[in-house]
Amino acid sequence: RGHRVALVDSMSHLERAHDARATADTDDGRRASSDPSPSTQSAWKRTIASCEVRFPLTPYKSQVQVMSAVVRAARRGTCALVESPTGSGKTLALLCAALAWSESESERREDVGVDDDEDGEEDEARKRETKRIGNGKPPKIYYATRTHAQIAQIVGELSRTAYKPHTVVLASREHYCVNKSARKGGDVNAECRRLMDAGAAGGDGKGCFYSGQGASKLASLAKNHPDALDIEDLVKMGTSKKGCPYFASKIMAESAELIFCPYNYLLDPRTRSAMDIDIEGSLIIFDEAHNIEDTAREAASEEIILDDVANAIDRLSEMRRRATANVSECELVLRSMKGVYDWFIGFCDEKNPSYGLKQTQEALSAMVRGEQILQTLAEAGLTEESVLEVMRALGVITKYNQENKDPKERVAGSVFNTCEKVLNPIKFLLSRGEVTARDYKIVFTKTRESDRVVSTQRVNSELNRLPVEELVKINFWALNPALAFRELVSENGGARSVVLTSGTLAPLNSFASELGVPFPIRMEAPHCVDMDRQVWGGIVAAGPSNIALNAGYKSRGDTSFQDELGACLRDVAKVTPHGLLMFFPSYSLLETIVRRWRETGLLRAIEQASGKKIFQEPGKSGSYGKKPVTLETVLEKYYSAVATSVKAAKHPYAPAPANAKCRGAILFAVCRGKISEGIDFADANARAVICVGIPYPNIKDALVAAKRSYNEEGAHRGLLSGSKWYDQQAFRALNQAVGRCLRHRHDHGAIMLVDSRFNNSNIQALPKWLRPAMQKSASRFGDQVKSLENFFVSHAENPPSDDAPASKTGDQRKNSKRARVSIVATSPRKAMRNTPITSFFQKASTSNATHSDPLMRDIEQPSKKTKDDQIGDYEAPVFTDDDELDVDIDALMADNHELSPEANVAQVLDGVEWEDWEDDDDLMAHAVQATQTAHTMSKVESTTPTEQVLDVVSPLKERAKKVCGDDSVCAKCGNTRYSQIDTENDDRIALQSQYLDCVLQTKVNDIHEFAVVEMRGGCCASPPSETVEFDRDLRVAFSRVNSCDGDRLIGLRVEATNAMYAHLCDRVLLPQHDARA
């Protein structure tokens, strides 16, 4: 078995095989058919980690990497960070991978049960595994997005796949309510609860007609519908069938395999409870997860109105007096709520000795640290242990109230909602004592409102209350997103695996530190576009008049800046065809700029010069100073104007003629707004994106200031510093905006960053794929506009042809590809006949006189190729942990033949069976030629295998020299040492193996943390070792990177790897301990 593993690792190294290259065909074979009918067929089918994944297209390399990461995370029950650039098709990859795992897991769960041992005692390990995988139940997949609007796009992507799971979209009452009378009241939630209470309490038919049997009937119809239904579809069906979509969706969720919902439905424990969401053992995918940090903090935060707490206590007191059941639970909740209320009222009542409010510019307020209230909460009967019992009691009386038909005992559901609002943040605050208490700030604010009305309940209240005109709000601010996120992956009822994916997660290590959860699987996928040809990037520091452009807080109000920005937009819009997006840091700046341009006539001048219509994302006060308009209306008009422009052009890639009635449109939007995320602006809809300024959060916002201070204080615990967190928030928002114009493989567009503050330092925070384009741009504005014009002219003159690689079908690619379909024990000579690497070894052996090896004799020569033949790309097989290689090395050695490594590999390849799509001889000639050209005549020499590693001379030596250069071998050149490299923003990975213990000279079974960096020139180090060492535990091939004098180990370069660590290939792992010193 040891020989077998070593040989498999050897082949992985020599063929440079990893998961993406083994399963994905080249991008040139990708099909992008506009016909929807064949899109549901599986043009691509591969096995990833024992799960058969079916994909409607031939995927990009980045999509294969995404699918591999998701399947591996789900199979292992771990969490993953997956960064895939906007426009690379990650949504389709996520769906297919998750559903493929679900199918495989469902089959596996059917075979899992709980067995008894011989003594009649249950096997505890098997019992825990059965509980973890759901006791045979089909696994659930939760696909969460930021907004309901994004869900509609994802449901549309699902229809393109070959998978047909039972699905449901969970949404709020505002989105689903079909009761016209309930919608007229304005507050749909309150009206719905009132109708449900009336129907349940009196049973007199005054409840909602659409609930009950109507909702059940609708759920049954929707579940049997052949297509996945989004919110709009279910609302239409509910209207026609007289059923409530909201309650129908909750019924459907009980048996659904794929559930779509917004973030907060999973992160917010109150929403999870209200929607009856059970995440235990499920796979959760957060798409566009760059927002999850803020959402998680909000889920653990709460705003409470003091009067609401008092009203809830009064109602609970009435319920206690009339209760005939669950009396002890009611008393426990009532006692805890009264204790918290006494603290609130004491802090806010100026007559009380514990009064703590102070006058500010806007109101009386105070901020209290979480650790300062532990004693106060303990006096109210709330401790780390007791708060869970109080929450359990609250759940009991809430359920009892819902099921109680006696109107005298029932109270409004809002009473229990208020109790949850008070107790949930306290539960998080107390969950780990002082450790989690310091994650909170409690803010008290008291204002005066003279128009408030005295209610009858207030008059009859027995509680001590403030004057009616005084409004007190208590905000529990959670500053650590890990408080809510850790609940998702807890051992007690948590999900099996959580996958976070977005185009802007980097830096991945800092993101993981904020969430407080280990992410052993991390991946940064490359973009699918040709960056040199399809992307134009530029930083605009000054406009046409050479006036500096700085959108910072101090200079944004300067009219010279505003006018220069308008002139810049005018010149850019003239040369940009069709659609153009312009993002601002905030709504206030957007409205200020537009107001100035309108007053000076510059707005009209831009429209006349460019021939484009101008639209604006609606803000809180509406657009253009008129009555508020909806985002849907704005987008409809914008798309219509772009479509008119495209129709007037010679072809979609050419601009509309100068005399056209409409030559496109300009859309003003805001970073972090709805337009900047999740809305598709493919092709002509966004040929250019202009980002004005850097969208920093409002520094004067008290919550932002508190978070910065919290991170500064927690930097020693591994958190980002406050300033780095602040910068990261800005650039993540910026990165989302710049990705609007690149939506697929053959899209093209321009990205322009307008602000003099952009420099070589902070552009490193931009997406990895965009940085080179920004560094190549000209510095003068006139030169930039000319370059931009040439960029669009080039695409207009050379549009993609009808037979572009994107239009190739699955049938066409069969002429140039072959796929591994199985690994089985076959005849000893079959692998030699049809595996090109065998012929490569034969040639190497011939030149080195190794004919004495009996297994290397009589190998068939590949057929001769004609001059008309084309050499196809050969993609090597990948060997994963699930592959079975039936090679008996001991039996071969019994014949006393001394086997060369070539024969060893030939025997292992005997277990590989290939399915050919065309004539085998011709294809083999092409593949052998490609392999021989790539690897030349390198000789492979084996050393004596040990229990740890197998050393071979690396055939990658020449390539390594080209990467490092000969300069790096000089010890006196003054180059930077690797130990001095700043790795703070690089990825981290933790590995464990006997090989690493030996190499790093640490104790056995130690966990080694590495910084993952690229091979860097200009660093004082010797070239990578010519000897490649194979780690049997990790199945990774390493070469050692030593100091220039060869005395000290600096790091390990990853030469080859299995699918698990494919993202580490060609990277250097720097140990994060004293061995680097």
Side-chain angles (χ1 to χ4, degrees):
R1 179 63 180 175
H3 289 293
R4 195 180 310 169
V5 172
L7 288 173
V8 171
D9 289 339
S10 176
M11 293 191 315
S12 296
H13 163 64
L14 295 173
E15 300 191 38
R16 307 294 291 167
H18 58 78
D19 199 36
R21 299 298 297 169
T23 56
D25 292 316
T26 60
D27 287 343
D28 290 345
R30 183 178 176 86
R31 175 173 59 84
S33 173
S34 59
D35 182 7
S37 56
S39 65
T40 57
Q41 304 301 317
S42 296
W44 186 90
K45 184 187 299 184
R46 295 294 186 273
T47 298
I48 300 176
S50 300
C51 295
E52 183 183 78
V53 182
R54 304 188 298 277
F55 203 72
L57 312 169
T58 301
Y60 303 140
K61 178 181 178 181
S62 61
Q63 288 176 314
V64 176
Q65 292 177 343
V66 169
M67 289 188 283
S68 176
V70 172
V71 171
R72 286 186 287 121
R75 291 272 295 176
R76 299 176 194 171
T78 59
C79 298
L81 292 172
V82 178
E83 183 179 74
S84 184
T86 303
S88 60
K90 67 175 179 297
T91 300
L92 197 59
L94 290 169
L95 288 171
C96 290
L99 292 169
W101 167 79
S102 178
E103 284 188 352
S104 174
E105 184 70 5
S106 296
E107 296 174 359
R108 188 174 76 90
R109 290 187 179 188
E110 292 177 358
D111 300 330
V112 176
V114 179
D115 297 330
D116 295 339
D117 60 19
E118 295 180 357
D119 298 328
E121 297 178 356
E122 293 180 337
D123 184 346
E124 291 298 325
R126 185 66 175 270
K127 185 177 180 180
R128 288 194 299 270
E129 171 66 6
T130 303
K131 180 179 179 181
R132 184 179 69 87
I133 65 173
N135 295 308
K137 296 184 297 183
K140 285 185 181 293
I141 301 170
Y142 289 93
Y143 196 113
T145 64
R146 184 188 180 195
T147 64
H148 289 98
Q150 294 170 343
I151 293 177
Q153 299 180 20
I154 299 168
V155 173
E157 288 289 279
L158 178 63
S159 65
R160 301 172 61 193
T161 72
Y163 299 96
K164 299 298 179 184
H166 291 303
T167 65
V168 66
V169 179
L170 297 180
S172 63
R173 290 176 171 88
E174 287 88 347
H175 288 87
Y176 268 148
C177 183
V178 294
N179 189 326
K180 294 181 180 179
S181 63
R183 301 191 70 88
K184 288 180 181 178
D187 189 346
V188 178
N189 284 321
E191 187 63 18
C192 177
R193 291 191 180 99
R194 188 192 66 79
L195 290 173
M196 295 304 296
D197 287 342
D204 53 5
K206 295 182 179 179
C208 180
F209 172 79
Y210 295 88
S211 63
Q213 293 184 356
S216 300
K217 181 179 179 182
L218 177 62
S220 178
L221 292 173
K223 182 177 179 180
N224 295 321
H225 197 276
D227 299 321
L229 304 178
D230 60 18
I231 295 175
E232 184 179 354
D233 297 329
L234 194 57
V235 167
K236 288 181 179 179
M237 184 180 291
T239 303
S240 63
K241 302 299 181 182
K242 305 299 181 183
C244 175
Y246 174 76
F247 288 104
S249 66
K250 295 179 69 173
I251 296 172
M252 294 166 63
E254 296 176 2
S255 59
E257 301 164 281
L258 177 59
I259 301 172
F260 300 102
C261 61
Y263 288 174
N264 63 305
Y265 280 46
L266 300 176
L267 289 170
D268 189 337
R270 292 203 299 124
T271 307
R272 278 206 310 270
S273 176
M275 299 298 294
D276 298 322
I277 294 175
D278 180 13
I279 62 173
E280 184 174 10
S282 63
L283 168 62
I284 299 177
I285 298 174
F286 287 99
D287 200 358
E288 303 298 335
H290 53 278
N291 293 307
I292 199 170
E293 177 190 326
D294 295 334
T295 308
R297 285 203 308 270
E298 292 171 1
S301 302
E302 202 65 74
E303 181 179 83
I304 303 162
I305 298 177
L306 186 59
D307 273 352
D308 291 345
V309 179
N311 294 337
I313 292 174
D314 288 338
R315 293 301 185 190
L316 281 175
S317 298
E318 294 177 11
M319 181 180 180
R320 165 63 188 88
R321 287 193 294 269
R322 300 172 181 175
T324 57
N326 303 310
V327 176
S328 60
E329 286 83 359
C330 188
E331 288 179 344
L332 177 59
V333 175
L334 181 59
R335 186 167 57 249
S336 300
M337 290 294 292
K338 281 185 176 181
V340 174
Y341 179 79
D342 289 341
W343 166 47
F344 287 167
I345 195 70
F347 198 88
C348 299
D349 188 354
E350 58 187 11
K351 300 177 183 179
N352 196 297
S354 59
Y355 178 71
L357 300 184
K358 295 181 180 180
Q359 185 65 52
T360 63
Q361 293 181 352
E362 299 178 354
L364 288 166
S365 64
M367 182 181 293
V368 182
R369 300 171 67 93
E371 55 266 39
Q372 294 175 326
I373 69 169
L374 291 176
Q375 181 60 37
T376 303
L377 292 175
E379 293 173 358
L382 293 172
T383 64
E384 184 177 347
E385 296 78 17
S386 66
V387 68
L388 297 178
E389 182 61 25
V390 176
M391 294 296 295
R392 186 201 65 80
L394 178 61
V396 170
I397 62 175
T398 301
K399 183 177 181 181
Y400 172 73
N401 186 74
Q402 292 173 342
E403 297 174 351
N404 195 346
K405 302 300 182 181
D406 186 354
K408 294 181 179 180
E409 289 190 30
R410 279 176 55 87
V411 296
S414 59
V415 172
F416 305 101
N417 291 333
T418 300
C419 293
E420 284 187 337
K421 291 181 70 173
V422 173
L423 295 174
N424 260 317
I426 294 177
K427 180 195 71 172
F428 282 123
L429 187 149
L430 295 173
S431 59
R432 298 186 182 181
E434 284 194 28
V435 175
T436 47
R438 68 188 178 193
D439 295 336
Y440 270 93
K441 292 288 195 326
I442 299 90
V443 180
F444 294 82
T445 306
K446 182 164 71 171
T447 57
R448 298 183 67 87
E449 295 184 2
S450 57
D451 57 346
R452 298 188 69 198
V453 179
V454 180
S455 65
T456 304
Q457 180 178 346
R458 183 184 180 89
V459 173
N460 297 331
S461 177
E462 298 177 356
L463 297 173
N464 178 28
R465 294 213 182 193
L466 297 176
V468 66
E469 65 272 10
E470 293 183 356
L471 176 65
V472 174
K473 294 182 179 180
I474 303 99
N475 282 277
F476 282 80
W477 285 349
L479 304 177
N480 185 2
L483 290 168
F485 192 83
R486 278 195 297 252
E487 280 200 347
L488 295 182
V489 293
S490 67
E491 294 183 359
N492 183 20
R496 174 189 179 93
S497 176
V498 177
V499 177
L500 306 185
T501 177
S502 177
T504 51
L505 286 181
L508 302 188
N509 56 332
S510 62
F511 202 101
S513 70
E514 281 286 300
L515 295 177
V517 172
F519 289 87
I521 297 179
R522 305 182 184 185
M523 188 211 74
E524 292 179 88
H527 212 300
C528 55
V529 304
D530 183 344
M531 297 305 300
D532 293 330
R533 190 180 66 84
Q534 295 172 248
V535 180
W536 185 96
I539 297 174
V540 179
S545 303
N546 204 31
I547 297 176
L549 295 170
N550 187 319
Y553 181 77
K554 294 181 178 179
S555 57
R556 63 175 57 176
D558 190 343
T559 55
S560 62
F561 158 74
Q562 297 171 4
D563 295 342
E564 188 76 350
L565 180 62
C568 174
L569 173 60
R570 179 194 60 210
D571 292 352
V572 171
K574 287 169 61 176
V575 301
T576 301
H578 311 309
L580 186 152
L581 304 179
M582 190 171 193
F583 288 97
F584 293 83
S586 65
Y587 285 104
S588 60
L589 179 59
L590 167 58
E591 292 171 356
T592 299
I593 295 289
V594 171
R595 188 183 307 113
R596 169 68 180 178
W597 290 351
R598 188 181 295 111
E599 292 171 352
T600 60
L602 189 53
L603 198 68
R604 183 175 295 276
I606 294 172
E607 289 181 325
Q608 292 176 346
S610 64
K612 302 181 188 299
K613 297 181 180 180
I614 295 179
F615 302 93
Q616 180 179 334
E617 179 179 8
K620 297 180 181 179
S621 59
S623 300
Y624 310 114
K626 302 178 182 179
K627 65 179 182 179
V629 295
T630 64
L631 177 61
E632 289 74 14
T633 301
V634 172
L635 290 176
E636 183 180 354
K637 292 181 178 179
Y638 174 79
Y639 289 141
S640 177
V642 172
T644 301
S645 175
V646 172
K647 189 175 181 180
K650 293 182 179 179
H651 54 79
Y653 301 91
N659 59 352
K661 182 179 179 181
C662 177
R663 302 186 66 235
I666 301 172
L667 179 57
F668 298 146
V670 174
C671 291
R672 299 187 185 88
K674 292 183 178 180
I675 288 177
S676 68
E677 300 184 30
I679 297 180
D680 197 3
F681 290 94
D683 301 312
N685 287 322
R687 283 298 175 214
V689 169
I690 301 175
C691 292
V692 179
I694 304 175
Y696 287 106
N698 185 0
I699 190 63
K700 294 185 177 181
D701 185 277
L703 180 55
V704 173
K707 173 61 177 172
R708 286 191 65 177
S709 175
Y710 169 81
N711 274 54
E712 285 291 348
E713 295 174 0
H716 68 280
R717 305 196 308 268
L719 296 178
L720 284 176
S721 66
S723 58
K724 288 186 177 180
W725 171 85
Y726 191 64
D727 290 340
Q728 186 184 87
Q729 298 302 301
F731 279 91
R732 278 192 177 145
L734 179 71
N735 293 343
Q736 277 299 112
V738 301
R740 294 306 94 194
C741 70
L742 297 173
R743 307 305 299 177
H744 57 81
R745 170 69 179 85
H746 295 282
D747 205 351
H748 73 275
I751 297 170
M752 184 175 288
L753 306 181
V754 181
D755 200 296
S756 58
R757 291 175 292 173
F758 287 108
N759 51 51
N760 290 332
S761 175
N762 57 25
I763 65 172
Q764 297 304 312
L766 295 175
K768 187 176 181 180
W769 54 268
L770 182 58
R771 296 170 205 161
M774 291 299 170
Q775 294 168 342
K776 296 178 182 178
S777 63
S779 57
R780 294 176 58 86
F781 180 76
D783 296 336
Q784 289 176 325
V785 173
K786 185 61 178 177
S787 173
L788 179 63
E789 182 179 14
N790 293 337
F791 171 79
F792 287 121
V793 168
S794 173
H795 281 274
E797 294 176 350
N798 303 282
S801 59
D802 293 338
D803 59 349
S807 64
K808 281 189 177 181
T809 65
D811 292 336
Q812 290 173 312
R813 65 182 174 83
K814 289 183 180 180
N815 295 327
S816 59
K817 295 294 168 189
R818 53 200 284 117
R820 189 192 70 182
V821 294
S822 64
I823 294 183
V824 295
T826 57
S827 68
R829 301 291 178 179
K830 185 166 185 179
M832 297 184 183
R833 292 198 301 271
N834 68 358
T835 308
I837 197 169
T838 304
S839 296
F840 161 59
F841 281 129
Q842 180 205 16
K843 187 172 183 179
S845 300
T846 302
S847 64
N848 291 283
T850 58
H851 291 293
S852 59
D853 193 325
L855 288 176
M856 296 307 297
R857 299 170 185 164
D858 303 325
I859 299 178
E860 297 179 8
Q861 297 287 346
S863 61
K864 296 182 179 180
K865 62 181 185 299
T866 65
K867 63 180 181 179
D868 296 328
D869 287 335
Q870 297 180 350
I871 298 176
D873 293 331
Y874 168 66
E875 302 210 31
V878 63
F879 296 89
T880 68
D881 293 336
D882 299 307
D883 295 333
E884 293 295 335
L885 299 172
D886 192 7
V887 182
D888 191 348
I889 298 296
D890 295 333
L892 294 173
M893 295 297 293
D895 295 333
N896 296 321
H897 293 300
E898 184 177 348
L899 298 182
S900 69
E902 296 91 338
N904 288 343
V905 173
Q907 277 292 81
V908 175
L909 289 174
D910 178 33
V912 182
E913 182 179 2
W914 297 89
E915 177 188 27
D916 293 339
W917 285 328
E918 63 174 1
D919 183 76
D920 184 72
D921 290 340
D922 291 340
L923 182 59
M924 286 309 306
H926 301 163
V928 170
Q929 180 67 31
T931 305
Q932 292 172 347
T933 301
H935 296 290
T936 64
M937 296 282 293
S938 299
K939 177 185 177 183
V940 179
E941 299 176 354
S942 68
T943 61
T944 302
T946 67
E947 291 184 359
Q948 300 290 336
V949 297
L950 173 66
D951 297 345
V952 298
V953 176
S954 171
L956 308 171
K957 176 181 176 183
E958 294 300 322
R959 184 174 64 81
K961 285 185 177 180
K962 292 180 181 179
V963 173
C964 299
D966 294 330
D967 296 340
S968 60
V969 299
C970 179
K972 300 179 181 181
C973 63
N975 289 334
T976 305
R977 293 181 180 272
Y978 264 92
S979 60
Q980 303 301 314
I981 293 176
D982 181 8
T983 62
E984 184 173 354
N985 292 326
D986 289 300
D987 288 347
R988 295 289 195 277
I989 189 168
L991 300 175
Q992 185 177 22
S993 74
Q994 295 181 15
Y995 167 79
L996 294 177
D997 295 339
C998 179
V999 171
L1000 301 179
Q1001 300 180 5
T1002 62
K1003 61 183 180 181
V1004 178
N1005 295 328
D1006 200 1
I1007 297 178
H1008 308 280
E1009 183 179 358
F1010 297 91
V1012 184
V1013 303
E1014 294 182 353
M1015 193 69 183
R1016 303 181 183 180
C1019 290
C1020 188
S1022 61
S1025 171
E1026 294 183 2
T1027 299
V1028 176
E1029 302 172 338
F1030 295 89
D1031 188 325
R1032 186 175 64 179
D1033 296 329
L1034 298 177
R1035 303 176 64 80
V1036 175
F1038 293 111
S1039 61
R1040 301 192 188 192
V1041 180
N1042 295 315
S1043 59
C1044 50
D1045 55 12
D1047 292 338
R1048 289 168 293 133
L1049 176 68
I1050 293 175
L1052 298 171
R1053 177 186 169 99
V1054 179
E1055 296 287 359
T1057 164
N1058 60 2
M1060 183 188 309
Y1061 301 111
H1063 62 289
L1064 299 179
C1065 234
D1066 295 332
R1067 300 295 180 94
V1068 175
L1069 307 185
L1070 300 183
Q1072 300 298 290
H1073 60 73
D1074 293 341
R1076 287 181 56 201

